[in-house]
Amino acid sequence: MASDFPPPPAGPADRGTAPVWQGWDRPPAWSRTPSGPTRAPAGSRYDEQGRNGRGGKGAWVGEFFAVLGVLVAGLLVVLGLAGLIAAVFDLGPASGDSDLLFADPVAELAVSLVSIAIGIPAVLFGARCLGKRPAGTASSVVGRLRWGWLGWCAAVGVPLMILQLGLMIAWTWDEEPVGDTGAGFPGWTAFAVSLAVVLALVPFQAAAEEYLFRGWLVQVIGRFARSPWPAVVLASLLFALAHGFGEVTGFVLLLYSALWWGWLVIRTGGLEAVIVVHVANNVLAFGLAAGFGALDDTSTAADAPWQAMVVELVFAPLYCLTIDRMARRRAVARVTP
């Protein structure tokens, strides 16, 4: 009697290989390793977003060095293109011994900001292509940047940063007036151009530092560390060292701030709050420098005086604790849904 079922595929004795039209030569879909991005299990903290079961225990090593390679390659490309433009259009400094690429401090600042901003695509590449997880998990535990929450953080962070900077200027005015640190007001046209460059590029530069130090690096270490604190402490130390060696007070300020910001990222499940405060700080600092013609000043936060450290001792916990309380009231997701 004829069977009601289709015949099984021919075996090796009948044909060289089994036919693929019925899928007999492939494992069932439910048993295959997923090929797309995989999220961390529900309930995972921000630092645990890399624990998606992909790549094995040692996969973080490859991700770490691959992203570092992308960063170095991107930096070389940016500097190479900038150097080529400066040479072709004769925009370089008059002195041949200068380490600068451009004589114009605004152009030099733009190159510096872009060279740091490339950290954002490098991190997203590392998360998606090497960590095998959605790139948005570098932003928050919900897999994206939460713009509404970022706006609430800005409503708190921007006024606090303006107040902090104002107190700092008032405290140190007699020792080193702000107007004496540069060449003076450059004129409205030059100031407008400088401010446009600052507003266009500083948000990406500041966000890139957060994605690198408070984001990707914490998640890479979090793939094997049980507690978030080893990642937060190490990333904070590297963040402080990345600003160079200046005053001891400047180093303490950077390390202290970074530890608070790292804590806040874990508490809020994302980078939004720290991106806001970092962008606000840098926009105000660079904007003030542009107004006084001091964009060629090479000092960083590592050169901050002791007064800045004292002010930060108060404002860092004030901002972080306020945002943490607001996050709890607004039920902001702290772990993977």
PDB file of all heavy atoms in Angstrom, residues 195-218:
ATOM      1  N   LEU A 195      32.217  78.864  19.250  1.00  0.00           N
ATOM      2  CA  LEU A 195      31.106  78.299  20.008  1.00  0.00           C
ATOM      3  C   LEU A 195      30.358  77.260  19.175  1.00  0.00           C
ATOM      4  O   LEU A 195      29.896  76.242  19.711  1.00  0.00           O
ATOM      5  CB  LEU A 195      30.154  79.415  20.443  1.00  0.00           C
ATOM      6  CG  LEU A 195      29.098  79.046  21.488  1.00  0.00           C
ATOM      7  CD1 LEU A 195      29.773  78.550  22.767  1.00  0.00           C
ATOM      8  CD2 LEU A 195      28.197  80.239  21.791  1.00  0.00           C
ATOM      9  N   ALA A 196      30.247  77.499  17.861  1.00  0.00           N
ATOM     10  CA  ALA A 196      29.584  76.525  16.992  1.00  0.00           C
ATOM     11  C   ALA A 196      30.345  75.203  16.970  1.00  0.00           C
ATOM     12  O   ALA A 196      29.738  74.119  17.014  1.00  0.00           O
ATOM     13  CB  ALA A 196      29.460  77.091  15.578  1.00  0.00           C
ATOM     14  N   VAL A 197      31.665  75.283  16.907  1.00  0.00           N
ATOM     15  CA  VAL A 197      32.483  74.069  16.926  1.00  0.00           C
ATOM     16  C   VAL A 197      32.330  73.348  18.258  1.00  0.00           C
ATOM     17  O   VAL A 197      32.186  72.115  18.308  1.00  0.00           O
ATOM     18  CB  VAL A 197      33.965  74.412  16.663  1.00  0.00           C
ATOM     19  CG1 VAL A 197      34.859  73.199  16.913  1.00  0.00           C
ATOM     20  CG2 VAL A 197      34.151  74.916  15.237  1.00  0.00           C
ATOM     21  N   VAL A 198      32.329  74.099  19.349  1.00  0.00           N
ATOM     22  CA  VAL A 198      32.174  73.507  20.678  1.00  0.00           C
ATOM     23  C   VAL A 198      30.825  72.805  20.806  1.00  0.00           C
ATOM     24  O   VAL A 198      30.738  71.648  21.250  1.00  0.00           O
ATOM     25  CB  VAL A 198      32.321  74.594  21.766  1.00  0.00           C
ATOM     26  CG1 VAL A 198      31.877  74.061  23.131  1.00  0.00           C
ATOM     27  CG2 VAL A 198      33.763  75.073  21.841  1.00  0.00           C
ATOM     28  N   LEU A 199      29.748  73.476  20.404  1.00  0.00           N
ATOM     29  CA  LEU A 199      28.411  72.896  20.541  1.00  0.00           C
ATOM     30  C   LEU A 199      28.200  71.704  19.616  1.00  0.00           C
ATOM     31  O   LEU A 199      27.452  70.775  19.945  1.00  0.00           O
ATOM     32  CB  LEU A 199      27.353  73.969  20.247  1.00  0.00           C
ATOM     33  CG  LEU A 199      27.257  75.105  21.275  1.00  0.00           C
ATOM     34  CD1 LEU A 199      26.256  76.158  20.812  1.00  0.00           C
ATOM     35  CD2 LEU A 199      26.869  74.572  22.641  1.00  0.00           C
ATOM     36  N   ALA A 200      28.872  71.703  18.464  1.00  0.00           N
ATOM     37  CA  ALA A 200      28.691  70.617  17.499  1.00  0.00           C
ATOM     38  C   ALA A 200      29.490  69.375  17.860  1.00  0.00           C
ATOM     39  O   ALA A 200      29.041  68.244  17.606  1.00  0.00           O
ATOM     40  CB  ALA A 200      29.081  71.093  16.098  1.00  0.00           C
ATOM     41  N   LEU A 201      30.679  69.541  18.459  1.00  0.00           N
ATOM     42  CA  LEU A 201      31.583  68.409  18.639  1.00  0.00           C
ATOM     43  C   LEU A 201      31.768  67.963  20.086  1.00  0.00           C
ATOM     44  O   LEU A 201      31.991  66.773  20.336  1.00  0.00           O
ATOM     45  CB  LEU A 201      32.959  68.752  18.043  1.00  0.00           C
ATOM     46  CG  LEU A 201      32.990  68.997  16.532  1.00  0.00           C
ATOM     47  CD1 LEU A 201      34.416  69.312  16.090  1.00  0.00           C
ATOM     48  CD2 LEU A 201      32.455  67.804  15.772  1.00  0.00           C
ATOM     49  N   VAL A 202      31.680  68.884  21.028  1.00  0.00           N
ATOM     50  CA  VAL A 202      31.923  68.513  22.420  1.00  0.00           C
ATOM     51  C   VAL A 202      30.949  67.452  22.924  1.00  0.00           C
ATOM     52  O   VAL A 202      31.365  66.528  23.652  1.00  0.00           O
ATOM     53  CB  VAL A 202      31.907  69.763  23.325  1.00  0.00           C
ATOM     54  CG1 VAL A 202      31.790  69.371  24.796  1.00  0.00           C
ATOM     55  CG2 VAL A 202      33.176  70.571  23.115  1.00  0.00           C
ATOM     56  N   PRO A 203      29.644  67.510  22.579  1.00  0.00           N
ATOM     57  CA  PRO A 203      28.762  66.434  23.053  1.00  0.00           C
ATOM     58  C   PRO A 203      29.210  65.044  22.625  1.00  0.00           C
ATOM     59  O   PRO A 203      29.105  64.086  23.400  1.00  0.00           O
ATOM     60  CB  PRO A 203      27.406  66.800  22.426  1.00  0.00           C
ATOM     61  CG  PRO A 203      27.454  68.289  22.287  1.00  0.00           C
ATOM     62  CD  PRO A 203      28.877  68.594  21.920  1.00  0.00           C
ATOM     63  N   PHE A 204      29.743  64.916  21.411  1.00  0.00           N
ATOM     64  CA  PHE A 204      30.228  63.613  20.948  1.00  0.00           C
ATOM     65  C   PHE A 204      31.527  63.227  21.652  1.00  0.00           C
ATOM     66  O   PHE A 204      31.732  62.061  21.999  1.00  0.00           O
ATOM     67  CB  PHE A 204      30.431  63.633  19.430  1.00  0.00           C
ATOM     68  CG  PHE A 204      29.166  63.822  18.658  1.00  0.00           C
ATOM     69  CD1 PHE A 204      28.805  65.068  18.171  1.00  0.00           C
ATOM     70  CD2 PHE A 204      28.310  62.742  18.433  1.00  0.00           C
ATOM     71  CE1 PHE A 204      27.627  65.237  17.460  1.00  0.00           C
ATOM     72  CE2 PHE A 204      27.133  62.903  17.720  1.00  0.00           C
ATOM     73  CZ  PHE A 204      26.783  64.162  17.236  1.00  0.00           C
ATOM     74  N   GLN A 205      32.400  64.208  21.879  1.00  0.00           N
ATOM     75  CA  GLN A 205      33.654  63.923  22.583  1.00  0.00           C
ATOM     76  C   GLN A 205      33.390  63.471  24.015  1.00  0.00           C
ATOM     77  O   GLN A 205      33.936  62.467  24.487  1.00  0.00           O
ATOM     78  CB  GLN A 205      34.538  65.170  22.578  1.00  0.00           C
ATOM     79  CG  GLN A 205      35.743  65.102  23.501  1.00  0.00           C
ATOM     80  CD  GLN A 205      35.487  65.795  24.833  1.00  0.00           C
ATOM     81  OE1 GLN A 205      34.720  66.761  24.911  1.00  0.00           O
ATOM     82  NE2 GLN A 205      36.124  65.305  25.888  1.00  0.00           N
ATOM     83  N   ALA A 206      32.535  64.211  24.724  1.00  0.00           N
ATOM     84  CA  ALA A 206      32.242  63.857  26.115  1.00  0.00           C
ATOM     85  C   ALA A 206      31.504  62.527  26.200  1.00  0.00           C
ATOM     86  O   ALA A 206      31.810  61.692  27.065  1.00  0.00           O
ATOM     87  CB  ALA A 206      31.407  64.972  26.762  1.00  0.00           C
ATOM     88  N   ALA A 207      30.546  62.313  25.303  1.00  0.00           N
ATOM     89  CA  ALA A 207      29.810  61.043  25.308  1.00  0.00           C
ATOM     90  C   ALA A 207      30.736  59.880  24.997  1.00  0.00           C
ATOM     91  O   ALA A 207      30.597  58.791  25.572  1.00  0.00           O
ATOM     92  CB  ALA A 207      28.670  61.103  24.297  1.00  0.00           C
ATOM     93  N   ALA A 208      31.703  60.091  24.102  1.00  0.00           N
ATOM     94  CA  ALA A 208      32.636  59.020  23.752  1.00  0.00           C
ATOM     95  C   ALA A 208      33.447  58.587  24.965  1.00  0.00           C
ATOM     96  O   ALA A 208      33.696  57.393  25.165  1.00  0.00           O
ATOM     97  CB  ALA A 208      33.567  59.482  22.632  1.00  0.00           C
ATOM     98  N   GLU A 209      33.867  59.529  25.787  1.00  0.00           N
ATOM     99  CA  GLU A 209      34.613  59.167  26.993  1.00  0.00           C
ATOM    100  C   GLU A 209      33.751  58.340  27.937  1.00  0.00           C
ATOM    101  O   GLU A 209      34.244  57.413  28.598  1.00  0.00           O
ATOM    102  CB  GLU A 209      35.122  60.433  27.681  1.00  0.00           C
ATOM    103  CG  GLU A 209      36.191  61.173  26.886  1.00  0.00           C
ATOM    104  CD  GLU A 209      36.801  62.325  27.666  1.00  0.00           C
ATOM    105  OE1 GLU A 209      36.649  62.349  28.910  1.00  0.00           O
ATOM    106  OE2 GLU A 209      37.424  63.206  27.053  1.00  0.00           O
ATOM    107  N   GLU A 210      32.472  58.676  28.010  1.00  0.00           N
ATOM    108  CA  GLU A 210      31.575  57.893  28.856  1.00  0.00           C
ATOM    109  C   GLU A 210      31.348  56.493  28.285  1.00  0.00           C
ATOM    110  O   GLU A 210      31.336  55.503  29.019  1.00  0.00           O
ATOM    111  CB  GLU A 210      30.238  58.622  29.025  1.00  0.00           C
ATOM    112  CG  GLU A 210      30.352  59.934  29.773  1.00  0.00           C
ATOM    113  CD  GLU A 210      31.048  59.770  31.107  1.00  0.00           C
ATOM    114  OE1 GLU A 210      30.764  58.797  31.830  1.00  0.00           O
ATOM    115  OE2 GLU A 210      31.916  60.621  31.429  1.00  0.00           O
ATOM    116  N   TYR A 211      31.144  56.398  26.973  1.00  0.00           N
ATOM    117  CA  TYR A 211      30.969  55.084  26.356  1.00  0.00           C
ATOM    118  C   TYR A 211      32.214  54.218  26.546  1.00  0.00           C
ATOM    119  O   TYR A 211      32.107  52.998  26.716  1.00  0.00           O
ATOM    120  CB  TYR A 211      30.669  55.240  24.868  1.00  0.00           C
ATOM    121  CG  TYR A 211      29.205  55.394  24.562  1.00  0.00           C
ATOM    122  CD1 TYR A 211      28.645  56.644  24.373  1.00  0.00           C
ATOM    123  CD2 TYR A 211      28.361  54.281  24.462  1.00  0.00           C
ATOM    124  CE1 TYR A 211      27.295  56.799  24.093  1.00  0.00           C
ATOM    125  CE2 TYR A 211      27.015  54.415  24.186  1.00  0.00           C
ATOM    126  CZ  TYR A 211      26.489  55.680  24.005  1.00  0.00           C
ATOM    127  OH  TYR A 211      25.142  55.819  23.746  1.00  0.00           O
ATOM    128  N   LEU A 212      33.375  54.833  26.525  1.00  0.00           N
ATOM    129  CA  LEU A 212      34.611  54.064  26.672  1.00  0.00           C
ATOM    130  C   LEU A 212      34.850  53.631  28.120  1.00  0.00           C
ATOM    131  O   LEU A 212      35.075  52.446  28.395  1.00  0.00           O
ATOM    132  CB  LEU A 212      35.797  54.894  26.186  1.00  0.00           C
ATOM    133  CG  LEU A 212      36.009  54.960  24.676  1.00  0.00           C
ATOM    134  CD1 LEU A 212      37.042  56.028  24.332  1.00  0.00           C
ATOM    135  CD2 LEU A 212      36.456  53.610  24.148  1.00  0.00           C
ATOM    136  N   PHE A 213      34.814  54.593  29.045  1.00  0.00           N
ATOM    137  CA  PHE A 213      35.237  54.316  30.416  1.00  0.00           C
ATOM    138  C   PHE A 213      34.106  53.855  31.332  1.00  0.00           C
ATOM    139  O   PHE A 213      34.298  52.965  32.150  1.00  0.00           O
ATOM    140  CB  PHE A 213      35.906  55.564  31.014  1.00  0.00           C
ATOM    141  CG  PHE A 213      37.222  55.901  30.375  1.00  0.00           C
ATOM    142  CD1 PHE A 213      37.325  56.923  29.438  1.00  0.00           C
ATOM    143  CD2 PHE A 213      38.358  55.188  30.689  1.00  0.00           C
ATOM    144  CE1 PHE A 213      38.531  57.236  28.841  1.00  0.00           C
ATOM    145  CE2 PHE A 213      39.579  55.486  30.095  1.00  0.00           C
ATOM    146  CZ  PHE A 213      39.668  56.512  29.165  1.00  0.00           C
ATOM    147  N   ARG A 214      32.944  54.488  31.249  1.00  0.00           N
ATOM    148  CA  ARG A 214      31.838  54.074  32.103  1.00  0.00           C
ATOM    149  C   ARG A 214      30.963  53.021  31.437  1.00  0.00           C
ATOM    150  O   ARG A 214      30.145  52.387  32.093  1.00  0.00           O
ATOM    151  CB  ARG A 214      30.967  55.282  32.472  1.00  0.00           C
ATOM    152  CG  ARG A 214      30.945  55.615  33.939  1.00  0.00           C
ATOM    153  CD  ARG A 214      32.209  56.259  34.402  1.00  0.00           C
ATOM    154  NE  ARG A 214      32.456  57.517  33.709  1.00  0.00           N
ATOM    155  CZ  ARG A 214      33.588  58.194  33.761  1.00  0.00           C
ATOM    156  NH1 ARG A 214      34.587  57.728  34.482  1.00  0.00           N
ATOM    157  NH2 ARG A 214      33.759  59.320  33.110  1.00  0.00           N
ATOM    158  N   GLY A 215      31.155  52.839  30.120  1.00  0.00           N
ATOM    159  CA  GLY A 215      30.316  51.912  29.386  1.00  0.00           C
ATOM    160  C   GLY A 215      31.017  50.631  28.984  1.00  0.00           C
ATOM    161  O   GLY A 215      31.006  49.641  29.716  1.00  0.00           O
ATOM    162  N   TRP A 216      31.662  50.662  27.834  1.00  0.00           N
ATOM    163  CA  TRP A 216      32.239  49.452  27.256  1.00  0.00           C
ATOM    164  C   TRP A 216      33.241  48.776  28.174  1.00  0.00           C
ATOM    165  O   TRP A 216      33.202  47.563  28.384  1.00  0.00           O
ATOM    166  CB  TRP A 216      32.892  49.795  25.916  1.00  0.00           C
ATOM    167  CG  TRP A 216      33.748  48.706  25.378  1.00  0.00           C
ATOM    168  CD1 TRP A 216      33.335  47.558  24.772  1.00  0.00           C
ATOM    169  CD2 TRP A 216      35.183  48.651  25.407  1.00  0.00           C
ATOM    170  NE1 TRP A 216      34.422  46.788  24.418  1.00  0.00           N
ATOM    171  CE2 TRP A 216      35.566  47.442  24.793  1.00  0.00           C
ATOM    172  CE3 TRP A 216      36.172  49.519  25.866  1.00  0.00           C
ATOM    173  CZ2 TRP A 216      36.898  47.077  24.650  1.00  0.00           C
ATOM    174  CZ3 TRP A 216      37.491  49.163  25.726  1.00  0.00           C
ATOM    175  CH2 TRP A 216      37.843  47.943  25.121  1.00  0.00           C
ATOM    176  N   LEU A 217      34.171  49.541  28.753  1.00  0.00           N
ATOM    177  CA  LEU A 217      35.206  48.937  29.598  1.00  0.00           C
ATOM    178  C   LEU A 217      34.584  48.255  30.820  1.00  0.00           C
ATOM    179  O   LEU A 217      35.000  47.154  31.204  1.00  0.00           O
ATOM    180  CB  LEU A 217      36.214  50.001  30.033  1.00  0.00           C
ATOM    181  CG  LEU A 217      37.426  49.503  30.836  1.00  0.00           C
ATOM    182  CD1 LEU A 217      38.177  48.436  30.056  1.00  0.00           C
ATOM    183  CD2 LEU A 217      38.350  50.668  31.188  1.00  0.00           C
ATOM    184  N   VAL A 218      33.589  48.883  31.418  1.00  0.00           N
ATOM    185  CA  VAL A 218      32.906  48.284  32.569  1.00  0.00           C
ATOM    186  C   VAL A 218      32.202  46.994  32.156  1.00  0.00           C
ATOM    187  O   VAL A 218      32.215  45.996  32.892  1.00  0.00           O
ATOM    188  CB  VAL A 218      31.906  49.292  33.169  1.00  0.00           C
ATOM    189  CG1 VAL A 218      30.961  48.604  34.156  1.00  0.00           C
ATOM    190  CG2 VAL A 218      32.654  50.423  33.869  1.00  0.00           C
TER     191      VAL A 218
END
